[in-house]
Amino acid sequence: MNRDNQPWWPVTAATIDWSDDGDPISNQFGDVYYSRENGLAESEHVFLRGNDLPRRWQNLTQDTFCIGETGFGTGLNFLLSWQLWRQLPQPRPRLHYLSIEKFPLRREDMQRALASWPELAPLSRQLLLCWPDLLPGQHRLILEGGQLTLDLWWEDVGDALPDLASHGPMIDAWYLDGFAPARNESMWQPALYDAMATLSRPGASFATFTAAGHVRRGLQEAGFKVEKAAGFGRKRECLRGTLARPGIDPGYRQTPWDLDQSPPSPADSALIIGAGLAGCTTAAALARRGISVTLLDAGELAGAASGNEQGILYTRLSKRHSALTDFALQSVHFAAALYRQMFASGELRRGEDGELCGSFQLQANEDELAILEERLATAPELAVVLQADAAQALLGVRPPGAGYWYPGSGWLNPPSLCRALVERPGITLLENCGELSLGQGRGQWQALREGKALAEAPLVIVCAGVSAAGFPGLEWLPLQAIRGQTSHIPCHGGSADLKAAFCHEGYIAPARNGSHCIGATFELRATDTALRGADHRHNLDKLAAALPQWQAHLEAIDIESLSGRVGFRCASPDYLPVAGPVPDRESFLQTYAGLRKNARHTIFARGNYMQGLYVNTAHGSRGLTSTPLVAEVLASRICAQAPPLSRELLRALSPARFLVRDLARNRI
Ligand SMILES: Cc1cc2nc3c(=O)[nH]c(=O)nc-3n(C[C@H](O)[C@H](O)[C@H](O)COP(=O)(O)OP(=O)(O)OC[C@H]3O[C@@H](n4cnc5c(N)ncnc54)[C@H](O)[C@@H]3O)c2cc1C
Ligand SMILES: C[S@@+](CC[C@H](N)C(=O)[O-])C[C@H]1O[C@@H](n2cnc3c(N)ncnc32)[C@H](O)[C@@H]1O
């Protein structure tokens, strides 16, 4: 869904009335979330057995099974499916559950509703722990050590299903659960049945609690074989069935340059060039899908931009939607959840490898603060506007003004994060390989060192920072290097009070091993790697301007004695990452040549992409935020699974966007 430039608001939460028995009733729709006789037994009967899951899951040969649901509500169907899946013997197929919900329940309402099912308590607790904010868009939750993916699309089903359908079949079973058709027509429309059919894999099934005639006919017309089955409790009948013929191609409302002419071939191994944050998160995302990864680097793990002592988990708020803001918010949410899990599991150590202690971002623009204060009122878990006094209580030091408090944010030591990610099973790390190039031989991609193949695989993902544009087929990528220097200042009396990360024109986090890594300079077109005294001074001056109470101490620091680090951020012209399959440039220029004459012209041709070649770079100043979600974008595409973002955002990240834009601007 394209929301560009529309005002940004959190999504509207469900308003719930509670029955005397403690059952939730939707105030928006005047209907119950599940049967008041026995919601749990109804869900099992209608949805799980309606899709024949207990039997199908016993005999499954595919490695991922995907359930699509219209209306997540209280998550009862999800929890029961999860519970059933957990009872399967190992190794079991991975479960992917994708649910679309326009009015998510607030956490406290979820908690109250789920308290009715003590038998599901261990699973409900886990769901509640990662329950997303009211942030518009997609939320990917990863559970069960990566074996279970829950995608929650906080959207209208009328927007989300057609968006997903453009990617083609991915769903094995449908739960149609959008309140009674008489109370909510929007969920029971022919266009949605058509999108369901397009999204259905061969053999896909559906089940729903309703037996309404127009629903039955609509599903039949879309290509489903429909049968009536006994309903639950007082309901006489319900509907279930399977896809009888493949769904129709939904057609194109915009030039489908982002969709691949030929589907990705399945692969069980991959090469990744570059072991920074991009390479390590991508390795972990592929490995959790069973792809064995060889991760190669010219130097050491996290030896380039990802080698800083401390980095902040930043995001960006704006009163209007844009691809940049929407991606920044969705990705910080996903990254924070990943890091929370890694601290909880012991993969990361608190204080040593980082700390999700919250962060405060100074904001001088009072008009914007006032607007966002109102808009954030229903999403306090995402961010809150704080005046200096309130910020001081959380930060431990007094900032010079108001700003945003991000409770889920914090700082990390990027090398520790990279190390923890590559220690996961299925990843082989080859460090100090020297500068690699790519070649092809025996139908595989090869990582070459002076013409000699060090490793080969059918897939390769180039995660080489700004050097990505040095690889054949990628020379045209508009990447630029931005030099940055950090300074390591020793802890002092006042700095021990700092309890959270503080972002001003620079940043500082609570001390790690007795010092704070502060930064950072931002310099285009500089290539020297030596530390500069002037840059240390710049970092100290910025900090002194933000914390005048530290000025005397900062001025007394001997610049000559300071250590620090120089790194090069890689940025794209629109400051979004560059991630996706690599387009065949010449073929793109021919196929979409018509855009030169008329940029708005729809050209009904999919893009021609290089088989098995992907890129992931341009994480700019926000790699800690962006790389985990971008890794999921790539891994989902490679494995032909549901994407974690809307198509609009996928297009905003795609490397091919630059070719299409340049054609439309008549620049190439
Ligand atoms: C000074 C500074 C401060 C920053 N502060 C923050 C912050 O606070 N928060 C935040 O989120 N982000 C911050 N960033 C940005 C963040 O560090 C980057 O976005 C992130 O590290 C990018 O990761 P990457 O894997 O894309 O690149 P890199 O970490 O640069 O990894 C690329 C890897 O590819 C390898 N490589 C390149 N070419 C080849 C080749 N031909 N053969 C083999 N290997 C090759 C390199 O050796 C390197 O290891 C900062 C960056 C800098 C420079
Ligand atoms: C009956 S409830 C779902 C119950 C749920 N499956 C469960 O297990 O608790 C129907 C859900 O559909 C959602 N809904 C209604 N209209 C919608 C729309 N147009 N798009 C997306 N979700 C919608 C409602 O907010 C509600 O949560």
Side-chain angles (χ1 to χ4, degrees):
M1 181 184 178
N2 188 351
R3 297 193 173 91
D4 244 8
N5 222 19
Q6 291 176 17
W8 183 92
W9 281 95
V11 288
T12 308
T15 44
I16 306 284
D17 296 327
W18 299 92
S19 74
D20 294 342
D21 303 332
D23 293 324
I25 300 165
S26 161
N27 185 280
Q28 276 117 334
F29 294 93
D31 201 357
V32 290
Y33 278 78
Y34 40 72
S35 157
R36 292 179 60 181
E37 289 168 63
N38 185 341
L40 200 139
E42 180 198 34
S43 272
E44 272 176 347
H45 170 77
V46 173
F47 296 106
L48 277 69
R49 284 201 289 281
N51 277 292
D52 200 14
L53 296 187
R55 189 195 60 80
R56 281 166 83 191
W57 283 0
Q58 294 300 330
N59 306 309
L60 211 61
T61 49
Q62 68 207 60
D63 59 15
T64 304
F65 189 92
C66 186
I67 297 174
E69 179 182 53
T70 53
F72 189 74
T74 66
L76 180 57
N77 291 340
F78 165 67
L79 292 171
L80 287 169
S81 310
W82 182 3
Q83 188 188 47
L84 178 68
W85 172 84
R86 265 190 151 198
Q87 289 157 8
L88 295 177
Q90 294 273 22
R92 51 192 169 216
R94 283 178 282 278
L95 179 60
H96 193 142
Y97 194 103
L98 190 161
S99 191
I100 301 160
E101 175 56 63
K102 188 173 180 181
F103 302 107
L105 268 72
R106 287 178 202 288
R107 186 189 304 271
E108 51 279 16
D109 288 332
M110 280 295 280
Q111 208 156 3
R112 187 165 167 188
L114 293 176
S116 299
W117 319 115
E119 52 278 69
L120 294 173
L123 305 186
S124 312
R125 253 196 309 275
Q126 292 184 58
L127 176 62
L128 286 166
L129 272 178
C130 55
W131 187 241
D133 295 332
L134 295 172
L135 189 63
Q138 302 72 34
H139 300 271
R140 172 157 290 186
L141 315 182
I142 295 180
L143 298 153
E144 294 281 0
Q147 297 298 295
L148 170 56
T149 302
L150 171 60
D151 278 342
L152 294 171
W153 286 51
W154 288 170
E155 297 220 4
D156 191 304
V157 76
D159 295 321
L161 275 186
D163 186 301
L164 280 161
S166 58
H167 300 291
M170 59 180 79
I171 305 285
D172 298 296
W174 289 98
Y175 297 172
L176 302 188
D177 197 9
F179 290 132
R183 295 180 188 265
N184 186 18
E185 280 177 21
S186 69
M187 287 290 242
W188 309 96
Q189 294 297 323
L192 301 183
Y193 309 137
D194 288 342
M196 274 173 59
T198 308
L199 278 162
S200 293
R201 285 191 182 135
S205 58
F206 80 87
T208 179
F209 63 91
T210 179
H214 65 91
V215 174
R216 178 170 45 82
R217 289 188 294 278
L219 284 161
Q220 280 166 338
E221 274 161 32
F224 289 91
K225 186 166 154 279
V226 184
E227 62 182 66
K228 285 185 183 164
F232 180 81
R234 273 172 294 169
K235 285 202 188 106
R236 224 162 30 96
E237 291 173 325
C238 61
L239 301 177
R240 50 181 68 166
T242 48
L243 187 72
R245 59 173 157 80
I248 46 163
D249 192 318
Y252 304 121
R253 276 183 282 183
Q254 50 187 353
T255 299
W257 55 263
D258 52 319
L259 304 177
D260 205 335
Q261 275 173 14
S262 43
S265 325
D268 57 7
S269 62
L271 304 180
I272 295 181
I273 311 289
L277 286 169
C280 296
T281 48
T282 306
L286 290 175
R288 92 172 173 91
R289 289 167 171 81
I291 296 181
S292 78
V293 176
T294 307
L295 174 60
L296 306 102
D297 201 289
E300 292 187 350
L301 179 89
S306 308
N308 286 340
E309 280 289 302
Q310 292 179 300
I312 312 295
L313 188 56
Y314 294 113
T315 192
R316 177 193 299 264
L317 281 166
S318 162
K319 58 187 182 192
R320 296 201 172 274
H321 282 282
S322 68
L324 203 57
T325 308
D326 294 354
F327 175 73
L329 288 174
Q330 289 184 219
S331 58
V332 80
H333 220 275
F334 183 76
L338 170 72
Y339 304 148
R340 247 192 335 264
Q341 277 177 352
M342 292 178 78
F343 281 115
S345 68
E347 282 182 288
L348 293 175
R349 298 157 298 170
R350 287 205 177 84
E352 178 66 25
D353 300 333
E355 184 98 58
L356 295 181
C357 46
S359 72
F360 180 75
Q361 170 80 59
L362 208 55
Q363 170 58 266
N365 184 334
E366 287 180 9
D367 292 345
E368 187 180 302
L369 276 176
I371 291 171
L372 278 162
E373 183 164 26
E374 185 201 353
R375 299 194 185 170
L376 288 167
T378 57
E381 290 169 13
L382 169 65
V384 248
V385 171
L386 292 184
Q387 299 305 316
D389 285 344
Q392 180 176 4
L394 294 167
L395 204 49
V397 297
R398 187 178 176 78
Y404 302 111
W405 169 250
Y406 295 104
S409 160
W411 66 272
L412 282 117
N413 171 247
S416 305
L417 172 61
C418 288
R419 176 75 52 200
L421 289 166
V422 303
E423 276 172 7
R424 293 180 170 184
I427 303 171
T428 305
L429 173 66
L430 302 180
E431 291 174 281
N432 300 311
C433 298
E435 205 158 296
L436 298 169
S437 60
L438 281 178
Q440 280 180 294
R442 305 188 304 172
Q444 309 256 31
W445 286 100
Q446 298 179 322
L448 301 173
R449 173 69 186 151
E450 289 165 359
K452 186 168 158 263
L454 298 189
E456 58 182 26
L459 286 178
V460 61
I461 302 100
V462 177
C463 302
V466 81
S467 307
F471 285 81
L474 290 169
E475 304 88 346
W476 51 272
L477 277 180
L479 302 177
Q480 62 174 338
I482 303 170
R483 185 186 185 280
Q485 179 174 319
T486 53
S487 312
H488 304 156
I489 58 165
C491 229
H492 65 96
S495 82
D497 297 337
L498 189 66
K499 292 191 283 195
F502 176 36
C503 308
H504 43 100
E505 281 184 36
Y507 60 83
I508 182 167
R512 172 178 192 264
N513 296 336
S515 70
H516 304 267
C517 169
I518 67 163
T521 60
F522 192 93
E523 194 181 355
L524 292 166
R525 289 176 286 279
T527 53
D528 56 312
T529 54
L531 282 171
R532 299 182 197 148
D535 287 10
H536 282 322
R537 175 52 56 211
H538 171 95
N539 287 336
L540 290 170
D541 287 350
K542 290 279 178 214
L543 184 57
L547 293 176
Q549 61 271 43
W550 289 11
Q551 187 159 2
H553 170 79
L554 294 171
E555 277 173 0
I557 290 178
D558 171 18
I559 296 284
E560 298 303 314
S561 70
L562 276 191
S563 63
R565 200 169 178 280
V566 173
F568 294 86
R569 309 166 181 93
C570 169
S572 71
D574 56 20
Y575 294 102
L576 276 160
V578 171
V582 175
D584 179 325
R585 183 175 185 273
E586 288 317 307
S587 164
F588 256 64
L589 297 192
Q590 275 175 25
T591 309
Y592 303 116
L595 295 176
R596 289 193 182 107
K597 288 209 183 86
N598 179 358
R600 293 177 183 277
H601 179 51
T602 304
I603 296 171
F604 295 95
R606 290 176 171 236
N608 187 9
Y609 289 87
M610 314 266 288
Q611 247 325 307
L613 179 61
Y614 297 81
V615 63
N616 176 4
T617 188
H619 293 279
S621 301
R622 292 194 165 82
L624 283 170
T625 305
S626 55
T627 53
L629 188 56
V630 163
E632 281 295 309
V633 165
L634 278 161
S636 303
R637 174 117 184 188
I638 286 168
C639 298
Q641 294 167 353
L645 290 175
S646 69
R647 187 157 162 218
E648 210 49 44
L649 285 185
L650 296 175
R651 282 162 76 97
L653 300 180
S654 167
R657 70 187 187 267
F658 301 111
L659 296 179
V660 176
R661 274 180 208 165
D662 281 353
L663 280 167
R665 292 172 190 161
N666 221 340
R667 287 203 190 139
I668 40 174

